[in-house]
Amino acid sequence: MWDYSEKVLELFYNPINQGTIDDPAEPDVAVVFGEVGSIACGDALRLHLKIQPSTDSILDARFQTFGCTSAIASSSALTEIIKGRTLDEALHITNQDIADFLGGLPEAKMHCSVMGQEALEAAIYKYRGIEVEHHDDDEGTLVCACYGITEKKIRRAIAENDLTTVEQVTNYVKAGGGCGSCLANIEDLIVDAQESAETVRAAAELAVAREQRSQEAAAPTPLTNLQKITLIQQVIDKEVRPILIADGGDVSLHDVEGDRVLVKLQGACGSCASSTETLKYAIEAKLKDLVLPSLVVEAI
Amino acid sequence: MVTYLDNNATTRTDPEVLAAMLPYLSELYGNPSSMHSFGGQAGAAIEAAREQVASLLGAEPTEIIFNSCGSEGNNTAIHAALAAQPEKRHIVTTAVEHPAILAVCKHLEKRGYTVTYLSVDGRGELDLLELEAAMTGGTALVTTMYANNETGVIFPVEQVGEIAKAYGATCHVDAVQAVGKVPINLATSTIDLLTLSGHKLHAPKGIGALYVRKGFRFRPFLLGGHQERGRRAGTHNVPGIVALGKAAELAQAHLAHVKREAELRDLLEYGILATIPDTVVNGGGAPRLPNTTNIGFKYIEGEAILFMLNREGICASSGSACTSGSLDPSHVLTAMGLPYTILHGSIRFSLSRYTTEAEIRQVLTVMPDIVERLRAMSPFNNDQAEWLQERDLAVAT
């Protein structure tokens, strides 16, 4: 027996806003629906929105759900959350907001909240005329073939919910719940997300420190040489090398002289005709962005 | 008060069974392995229970080994069969077995064994020609269930045993769901090993038995003391064994009245099919246990049905993915090739000798409304929709 919150059971036994919305054919009213899932997956949600174009806001929301107790409760919760919101506000609603509204969901049921968030997005994109097929989540490498889950969808769930284990990823987006052959790939994505979060955090901390110093001194204080080299090394290791290695190349930091960053291109990169572009776009752009705008990268 | 229609999951301990075991939880606490007569009393109770279990199965008392549960029986049987013919490396089983068989087979595949998983048809039945074709001189074991826990479909185990025997393989039958519900006579059987579990026939949890045909080269699974003539180490669970003995005796007496369970089951089945459209009985065309029905309610999901039933005090179960916490629906219904419209929305009702007509009528009263409410919420309502065509093809191929 699942340990559902009282709110989940209340919205399951007495769901609010179930049904469809007829187009009233009135001025300044648009009706649209978005859907996710399928009967094959075991759950599906069709979310109907009544939108006021002049204010870009949601006048009414209804749901039709095929699914379990928590899928129905999540759908009902979603409709309550989004009523009265503008579409831009609605797009910022995460699956966690739905779970919070319900007083939490069992871990293995978190994918029900993800389904709500996705249906909302599908409906809004459809209203705005953005082809769902061209939306981010439907592009990218397929990681879980059993459930058709892409790398981007997994990365997003990891980032939005701070997921740290493969089991959590399966609970949230179903990836890895079938044959299990992608479990190692999911683990790589988690490690990857953690590493890049660290880099971003380190860069952000440095930026904050710089900002503070600049406010104190009313002029930017340059990084110490050691700080600069450490940060450059970090960015190269975590942001640049994985991309180059994937293409059969590699790079190592040779020296830093003032703003000149001297690197050694290796493997496929060393002999590649586009190595200048690699230097400029892959390496220099990252370093300018994350370390110092004045940096210039040169190959030795 | 609950309406308990989940007897394939576990059963209520019969009051007579409880009364029989209680003294062995209190004053008669002796260890049957002891040399004093106080322990000897417990020993005598165990032998009496062994005769009761043997009698239910048409076996001899020495062919019964008491153990802890069905899973232990199945694990033991598989390992014993492989140890009996160590040079053979092939196992035949079915795609719809209990995890206590399938997980062991998957494990053995990693250890160098080859396993053939026989398919079932849309009614959940085996094809004996497929079994025959799978057999080789290197087949050590054929293990199939007597009756399926989800659908109640009964396999032709005697014919399976004959084929196994023809190829020199051991025949093991997981009869956890069948014992006490169908007459079994192992005296004239082709079965070498048979698993049963106490809590499925009104004994408490934690007691089971394995039948081992006399003359079978048995190798113990659990090593240690000399209990059960060296075939299963571990201090005897005296209260559990006494309970299983009593439960076996009661089950044997009840077999004459089991038809009543079938009548109530049929009342439930026909009632639901007559009042609720788009429902099917999974495995309905095959020979089945008298107490089990598995009904597919199209376009709605099983866990949601169970929660609606639960609010009415009705206990049933579902093979839907959401129920188990896994993401895939029942491996049994999937193996039957059922469409997705049915896979996720199937409910198993399993009756017992305690089930009353009033309870069945209660289910028949609440069920139409439950289904209607959930269907009103569902975006799906027919089999022709575009979203099904592709999936149907996928199932068909």
Side-chain angles (χ1 to χ4, degrees):
Chain A
M1 186 99 192
W2 294 108
D3 187 15
Y4 286 131
S5 71
E6 277 181 29
K7 188 75 178 168
V8 169
L9 292 174
E10 182 195 322
L11 282 180
F12 169 68
Y13 288 125
N14 304 297
I16 309 168
N17 307 323
Q18 72 174 80
T20 59
I21 298 176
D22 291 331
D23 195 336
E26 289 167 14
D28 202 21
V29 172
V31 169
V32 69
F33 71 82
E35 55 189 352
V36 290
S38 75
I39 209 159
C41 300
D43 44 25
L45 164 57
R46 188 178 289 166
L47 178 73
H48 303 259
L49 298 180
K50 188 191 252 186
I51 294 166
Q52 186 170 48
S54 61
T55 57
D56 210 32
S57 59
I58 298 168
L59 296 174
D60 196 7
R62 298 286 166 88
F63 73 90
Q64 287 177 290
T65 294
F66 165 79
C68 60
T69 307
S70 51
I72 288 169
S74 295
S75 309
S76 190
L78 170 68
T79 55
E80 280 295 282
I81 294 172
I82 60 176
K83 271 200 221 174
R85 303 256 188 147
T86 67
L87 297 184
D88 286 335
E89 284 168 356
L91 280 175
H92 281 102
I93 288 164
T94 64
N95 69 288
Q96 197 60 52
D97 294 330
I98 298 172
D100 290 346
F101 185 91
L102 290 168
L105 281 172
E107 272 283 310
K109 296 291 193 170
M110 283 302 289
H111 61 86
C112 295
S113 66
V114 173
M115 182 168 79
Q117 186 269 328
E118 288 179 337
L120 175 62
E121 209 170 76
I124 295 176
Y125 277 101
K126 192 168 164 189
Y127 168 71
R128 291 187 166 169
I130 301 168
E131 288 280 324
V132 178
E133 283 75 18
H134 297 151
H135 176 50
D136 282 351
D137 277 2
D138 292 311
E139 289 181 344
T141 331
L142 201 63
V143 174
C144 171
C146 297
Y147 288 95
I149 312 295
T150 61
E151 185 178 316
K152 282 195 173 169
K153 181 163 169 177
I154 295 171
R155 283 187 188 276
R156 177 175 177 167
I158 292 172
E160 285 189 353
N161 297 286
D162 290 329
L163 306 184
T164 54
T165 66
V166 175
E167 197 187 346
Q168 282 180 316
V169 170
T170 306
N171 287 335
Y172 278 66
V173 294
K174 298 191 176 186
C179 70
S181 65
C182 63
L183 294 177
N185 298 341
I186 295 174
E187 186 152 14
D188 288 346
L189 292 178
I190 293 172
V191 172
D192 206 34
Q194 284 167 344
E195 282 181 353
S196 69
E198 268 168 38
T199 312
V200 170
R201 208 164 23 243
E205 275 168 19
L206 253 165
V208 169
R210 247 185 295 163
E211 184 67 19
Q212 279 171 350
R213 277 199 302 274
S214 70
Q215 278 170 357
E216 283 161 16
T221 311
L223 295 169
T224 68
N225 230 19
L226 194 62
Q227 280 174 328
K228 187 160 70 184
I229 293 170
T230 309
L231 191 58
I232 290 170
Q233 184 70 57
Q234 259 181 3
V235 171
I236 286 179
D237 282 347
K238 289 177 179 167
E239 295 286 315
V240 178
R241 292 187 61 220
I243 298 168
L244 297 187
I245 289 168
D247 287 338
D250 201 355
V251 65
S252 62
L253 180 62
H254 185 69
D255 202 356
V256 179
E257 296 172 0
D259 278 346
R260 289 174 65 216
V261 180
L262 304 178
V263 298
K264 197 171 180 183
L265 290 172
Q266 290 154 336
C269 297
S271 55
C272 174
S274 60
S275 59
T276 323
E277 285 176 29
T278 306
L279 272 186
K280 283 294 167 198
Y281 296 108
I283 310 178
E284 193 174 290
K286 281 273 184 220
L287 292 178
K288 277 176 184 289
D289 194 28
L290 294 172
V291 188
L292 269 182
S294 52
L295 293 178
V296 179
V297 176
E298 293 170 24
I300 57 161
Chain B
M1 275 301 288
V2 295
T3 295
Y4 189 76
L5 295 174
D6 201 10
N7 287 282
N8 286 10
T10 195
T11 59
R12 170 185 176 179
T13 299
D14 189 288
E16 281 190 61
V17 169
L18 182 65
M21 75 186 286
L22 273 180
Y24 297 91
L25 285 167
S26 50
E27 65 266 31
L28 298 177
Y29 55 83
N31 187 334
S33 300
S34 299
M35 281 304 115
H36 39 70
S37 59
F38 182 61
Q41 276 180 298
I46 287 177
E47 293 321 310
R50 202 184 303 282
E51 281 181 27
Q52 288 166 312
V53 173
S55 170
L56 174 64
L57 301 177
E60 292 180 24
T62 53
E63 294 176 315
I64 305 300
I65 302 174
F66 289 116
N67 57 23
S68 68
C69 61
S71 292
E72 187 192 324
N74 286 341
N75 273 266
T76 304
I78 292 174
H79 285 97
L82 298 181
Q85 302 190 76
E87 71 289 353
K88 295 185 175 180
R89 310 289 285 179
H90 180 228
I91 301 167
V92 178
T93 187
T94 82
V96 297
E97 296 299 309
H98 188 275
I101 294 290
L102 290 179
V104 179
C105 288
K106 292 281 174 211
H107 175 72
L108 287 167
E109 280 184 286
K110 289 184 193 148
R111 307 257 307 267
Y113 284 88
T114 308
V115 181
T116 302
Y117 300 91
L118 300 175
S119 66
V120 293
D121 64 17
R123 301 195 302 185
E125 294 193 276
L126 284 181
D127 178 356
L128 290 174
L129 292 176
E130 188 188 348
L131 167 63
E132 187 113 40
M135 298 299 295
T136 74
T139 307
L141 167 70
V142 179
T143 172
T144 68
M145 58 202 342
Y146 201 120
N148 187 268
N149 49 316
E150 293 189 31
T151 59
V153 170
I154 294 173
F155 284 158
V157 287
E158 290 301 336
Q159 286 153 279
V160 169
E162 266 169 37
I163 294 170
K165 195 161 273 177
Y167 285 85
T170 299
C171 173
H172 166 248
V173 170
D174 172 2
V176 162
Q177 295 293 346
V179 172
K181 297 169 193 164
V182 293
I184 295 174
N185 184 8
L186 292 171
T188 57
S189 168
T190 54
I191 297 166
D192 298 307
L193 305 165
L194 180 139
T195 303
L196 70 88
S197 169
H199 75 107
K200 309 285 192 190
L201 62 149
H202 304 285
K205 295 147 190 76
I207 185 67
L210 179 68
Y211 159 87
V212 179
R213 173 170 298 288
K214 194 158 62 177
F216 182 82
R217 272 184 67 200
F218 184 81
R219 293 289 176 279
F221 185 54
L222 207 52
L223 302 177
H226 59 272
Q227 292 88 350
E228 297 298 279
R229 300 197 295 142
R231 295 180 297 176
R232 200 270 187 181
T235 302
H236 284 106
N237 172 5
V238 182
I241 291 169
V242 170
L244 179 58
K246 187 68 186 174
E249 182 195 305
L250 294 174
Q252 199 170 356
H254 175 69
L255 272 174
H257 313 287
V258 79
K259 197 162 157 269
R260 187 181 143 68
E261 274 176 56
E263 286 165 5
L264 287 177
R265 187 270 313 270
D266 292 345
L267 175 69
L268 177 66
E269 217 166 80
Y270 296 145
I272 286 176
L273 261 60
T275 55
I276 308 174
D278 294 322
T279 47
V280 291
V281 176
N282 300 320
R288 283 184 298 158
L289 292 175
N291 79 318
T292 308
T293 181
N294 188 306
I295 301 180
F297 298 89
K298 289 186 177 182
Y299 320 124
I300 53 179
E301 197 279 328
E303 190 217 274
I305 302 173
L306 288 185
F307 267 77
M308 290 282 191
L309 284 169
N310 188 58
R311 197 167 58 151
E312 307 287 343
I314 298 167
C315 307
S317 76
S318 165
S320 91
C322 293
T323 319
S324 59
S326 80
L327 294 168
D328 291 323
S330 148
H331 70 287
V332 176
L333 302 184
T334 305
M336 289 164 70
L338 300 181
Y340 285 103
T341 40
I342 293 170
L343 276 185
H344 292 286
S346 287
I347 300 292
R348 175 188 73 188
F349 298 98
S350 45
L351 290 65
S352 78
R353 59 176 178 256
Y354 298 112
T355 306
T356 64
E357 185 175 333
E359 290 175 317
I360 298 299
R361 300 243 174 244
Q362 184 203 356
V363 178
L364 290 176
T365 305
V366 302
M367 207 67 208
D369 182 53
I370 288 173
V371 175
E372 200 181 313
R373 287 186 59 181
L374 290 172
R375 283 194 181 151
M377 270 184 242
S378 175
F380 307 124
N381 55 23
N382 65 68
D383 283 350
Q384 280 72 52
E386 211 176 293
W387 46 263
L388 269 179
Q389 303 312 318
E390 197 185 326
R391 290 291 177 178
D392 272 353
L393 281 177
V395 171
T397 48

